[in-house]
Amino acid sequence: MLFSVLGAMTFGAKYVMSFLPNIEPVSLMVMLFAVTFGKKCVYPIYLYVGLEILFYGLGIWNVCYLYVWAVLALGAYALRGMTQSLGWAILSGAFGLLFGALCGLVDIFIGGLGYAVGKWITGIPFDLMHCLGNFTIALVLFKPLRGLLGKKYQQIKA
């Protein structure tokens, strides 16, 4: 039940913020899920991805979503012992900056390396906004939400 609510909440939060270009809470949530739930983070993450597909339909970007969130979750899980908000903000910001390049892996198969690089370069302004948004959101919210989510998860498990 908790994972369903969190996956749906992640989708809803992104939807509410969709008027802002590439500024979203999904990266923050994926990091929180990874450090709080470990391997079980796949449940809310891929429920979110499933809701994206149901709501927006199938597209090439769906393939990207199947692995980019796992990359961020693995990075966050590897750094789960980190306690400083700045470190989480840097991780989230770096992910936002690299998001277009990570999605470019799919574009290589669609149109070749030149197409992928061109599409990535064209999207750099959006990646910069993604980076800044992710950095700011994680800097402000990661630490308090990590504590809150961790306490709630422990209460449910008990």
Side-chain angles (χ1 to χ4, degrees):
M1 174 86 161
L2 174 66
F3 297 139
S4 299
V5 169
L6 291 172
M9 190 174 75
T10 301
F11 176 79
K14 181 183 178 188
Y15 183 77
V16 167
M17 295 178 69
S18 65
F19 68 95
L20 299 168
N22 278 15
I23 299 173
E24 43 75 18
V26 180
S27 303
L28 169 70
M29 300 306 288
V30 167
M31 293 187 317
L32 288 167
F33 299 158
V35 300
T36 305
F37 308 132
K39 293 177 187 175
K40 292 180 181 179
C41 74
V42 298
Y43 301 130
I45 291 170
Y46 288 103
L47 175 64
Y48 158 74
V49 172
L51 288 170
E52 285 274 327
I53 293 168
L54 284 173
F55 192 82
Y56 296 114
L58 288 172
I60 297 300
W61 59 272
N62 299 131
V63 177
C64 173
Y65 270 29
L66 294 176
Y67 65 87
V68 294
W69 301 118
V71 168
L72 179 58
L74 287 170
Y77 184 75
L79 297 171
R80 66 189 177 278
M82 182 167 48
T83 59
Q84 296 301 315
S85 295
L86 182 60
W88 292 107
I90 290 170
L91 174 64
S92 192
F95 177 77
L97 191 59
L98 295 172
F99 192 85
L102 289 168
C103 289
L105 297 174
V106 174
D107 295 326
I108 291 171
F109 293 102
I110 295 170
L113 184 60
Y115 171 76
V117 170
K119 189 173 174 188
W120 172 64
I121 289 171
T122 303
I124 286 176
F126 289 99
D127 289 340
L128 289 169
M129 287 186 280
H130 197 181
C131 171
L132 182 60
N134 277 7
F135 181 90
T136 304
I137 290 169
L139 186 64
V140 173
L141 294 176
F142 185 86
K143 199 168 186 174
L145 289 179
R146 182 181 191 178
L148 179 65
L149 189 58
K151 284 180 189 174
K152 292 297 177 190
Y153 188 52
Q154 291 304 317
Q155 289 174 351
I156 291 170
K157 284 174 44 176

